[in-house]
Each structure stands twice: as structure tokens, then as C-alpha cells.
Amino acid sequence: MDDDYWLMLPGEHAESEYPWHWLGWGGLSLALALLVAWLIVSRVTLPLRILARAAREVGRGQHPEPVPERGAIELRQLAEAFNLMSEDLKRNDAERAEVLAGISHDLRTPLARLRLESEMSITDEEALAAVIEDIEQMDAIIGQFLDFARCENGETSEP
């Protein structure tokens, strides 16, 4: 038996060149897939980056513009909740400043009456000086509250 093989092929069929064209197509497919993945990820994470920037502004006590409510349903819900929270914080700050300014302003009238009454009725100079000093300290504290309320509302103080 001369033949040790049961299949006989010509030699040129057994020899093959390295498949450079397949590697080229594979590399091009990989690059295209990575580009598409990068585009998808950047599109998904853009609303999150905008939301993170707005959250930093809220953390610094600022009131950012409303965050656009777009993207996946979860991102839209998150942006909507953040916008509601930001508006609530802005409204609470405004109400707090208004109440603080109102209370401070309302306290100045009784203090002025106390000072006038004490100057007219207290004859002891030392006692009068102590009462006036206390009234001036309370007035200075009220002035600080009013300054704080003005700063919160963006108002400038005027003499």
C-alpha cells in the first residue's frame, strides 16, 4: 500500500496566505463599534453631567436654570424631580428672607418706643446708659438680620 492518506489534495490548496484583508475588515468593524459606543455613552451621560453641574450650583447656594428633561425615562424623571427640588429651595429661601425681614422690621418700632420711654422716664444716668446700650445691641442684631435678608434677596442696602 503506497498511500498512507485517504484524502489527497493538491499542495497549492494546503498553503494559504495570512488573511490581511480579514484583519483589516475586523479592525475597521472594531473601530466603528467603539465610535458608536462612545456616541451612545456620551449621549446618555450628557444629561447626568448637566445634572451634576446644577447640583454643585445648588450645593453652593445658587439657583441654577432648570435642567432639560430629556433622555431615557429615568433621566427625565430625575431631571423633573431635581427641577422641582430646586424651585422649592428657591421659594423656601425667598419666604425665609421675607419672614426674617418682616420680623426684624416689626421689632424696630417697639425698640424705638422703649428707647424713647427709657430716656424720658429713667433718671439714673448709669441705668439709662445700660438700657440704651442694650437697646442699641438689639437694634444692631436686628440690622444684621435685615442685611442678611437683603443679601438673600439680592437687594442692596441704602442709607
Side-chain angles (χ1 to χ4, degrees):
M1 197 175 224
D2 294 343
D3 296 342
D4 291 338
Y5 304 103
W6 61 274
L7 179 63
M8 299 292 271
L9 290 174
E12 60 268 1
H13 288 282
E15 296 175 2
S16 66
E17 296 180 16
Y18 201 72
W20 290 108
H21 63 286
W22 288 109
L23 286 176
W25 283 111
L28 183 63
S29 298
L30 178 64
L32 186 61
L34 289 174
L35 177 67
V36 169
W38 178 80
L39 289 172
I40 290 171
V41 167
S42 63
R43 182 172 168 90
V44 167
T45 59
L46 178 65
L48 291 174
R49 287 192 305 265
I50 292 170
L51 187 64
R53 185 176 37 234
R56 279 192 298 273
E57 289 180 28
V58 168
R60 288 190 298 262
Q62 300 170 344
H63 300 290
E65 293 295 318
V67 175
E69 297 174 11
R70 62 174 187 235
I73 185 73
E74 293 85 2
L75 292 175
R76 288 195 306 261
Q77 290 172 346
L78 180 62
E80 181 183 357
F82 181 85
N83 289 337
L84 287 173
M85 178 200 66
S86 181
E87 286 300 315
D88 287 345
L89 287 173
K90 187 188 298 185
R91 189 175 52 254
N92 287 342
D93 282 348
E95 288 174 1
R96 180 175 49 91
E98 185 177 333
V99 166
L100 187 59
I103 290 172
S104 299
H105 188 268
D106 291 344
L107 287 174
R108 282 210 160 150
T109 302
L111 275 180
R113 280 196 310 259
L114 280 173
R115 182 172 182 154
L116 180 63
E117 183 65 33
S118 63
E119 286 177 355
M120 293 178 70
S121 64
I122 299 176
T123 56
D124 182 14
E125 292 295 324
E126 200 172 298
L128 178 61
V131 169
I132 289 176
E133 183 180 339
D134 290 342
I135 290 173
E136 286 176 354
Q137 284 179 356
M138 286 189 278
D139 193 47
I141 292 169
I142 291 170
Q144 290 174 350
F145 283 133
L146 285 172
D147 289 342
F148 176 73
R150 282 187 199 107
C151 289
E152 289 290 312
N153 287 335
E155 296 178 16
T156 57
S157 59
E158 295 181 17

